[in-house]
Amino acid sequence: MKIDILTIFPAMCQVPLGESIVKRAREKGLVQIAVHDLRDWTSDKHRSVDDMPYGGGQGMVMKPEPIFAAIRELRGENTRVLFLTPQGHRLDQPAVARLAAAPDAHYILLCGHYEGVDHRVVEALVDEEISIGDYVLSNGATAAVVLVDAMVRLIPGVLGDERSAGDDSFAEGILEAPHYTRPPEFEGMEVPEVLLTGNHARIEEWRRAQARARTRQNRPDLLGEED
Ligand code: ADE
């Protein structure tokens, strides 16, 4: 998988995408990630990427010219342009899995800022508008990091144990069962006895029941129940 991130805050992406699982995936060659500064495609001496909104109103709007120039240079034949914006479709685990399913995909992640992006960009260049949740971030670079992290860990070979992504919360539409490690007793709180039995059938049954109970408590909407 190849990912190009287009942002006016490259440092906000470089550090988090140079750590942990994403770092190892890059080192193994399972994903190529390049972070680009949109200002490199400006042509004025102030390297400006935004301008006043037509029709008036608060804030600035990102100009089309640098974005068109950057995307035209970066895109190839099978590139999909994903625009991170609070106005997009809300991201969830099935959507992440769909994006991660094509190992030779090429994505350009366009990060918005200011009040928005000139809509001609969305109409002419963007394949999907993606929101990472119903709240507004100060810019899309943070959202791009979230999307890349969620996608990369699903690429086959990235997680050491192929099963571990399958056990994640949401992988089966509900939350995960709780986890415990040593010591068996900590400040008077004990690890549930069933986990110490070595009886895998009972442990599995306990985990399924716990997963449902946690989902009912924290995310009843996932079970089709009222919030
Ligand atoms: N940019 C600002 N807020 C965002 C959000 N919730 N999702 C994606 N991009 C954003």
Side-chain angles (χ1 to χ4, degrees), residues 130-149:
I130 295 177
S131 163
I132 62 158
D134 290 343
Y135 40 81
V136 180
L137 302 166
S138 50
N139 75 84
T142 330
V145 169
V146 169
L147 175 59
V148 172
D149 184 301

Side-chain angles (χ1 to χ4, degrees), residues 71-118:
I71 289 179
R72 282 184 175 141
E73 186 178 326
L74 295 173
R75 78 179 165 193
E77 216 149 84
N78 298 313
T79 305
R80 290 190 63 78
V81 178
L82 313 180
F83 174 36
L84 283 310
T85 165
Q87 270 95 44
H89 295 279
R90 194 169 53 193
L91 189 68
D92 58 12
Q93 193 67 14
V96 174
R98 172 177 56 77
L99 293 167
D104 43 11
H106 176 212
Y107 295 115
I108 296 177
L109 272 46
L110 172 64
C111 307
H113 190 53
Y114 306 115
E115 287 306 296
V117 167
D118 187 291

Side-chain angles (χ1 to χ4, degrees), residues 10-23 26 141 145 149:
M12 289 184 74
C13 300
Q14 256 136 7
V15 173
L17 297 177
E19 295 287 340
S20 182
I21 284 172
V22 179
K23 174 186 178 183
R26 294 172 83 171
V145 169
D149 184 301

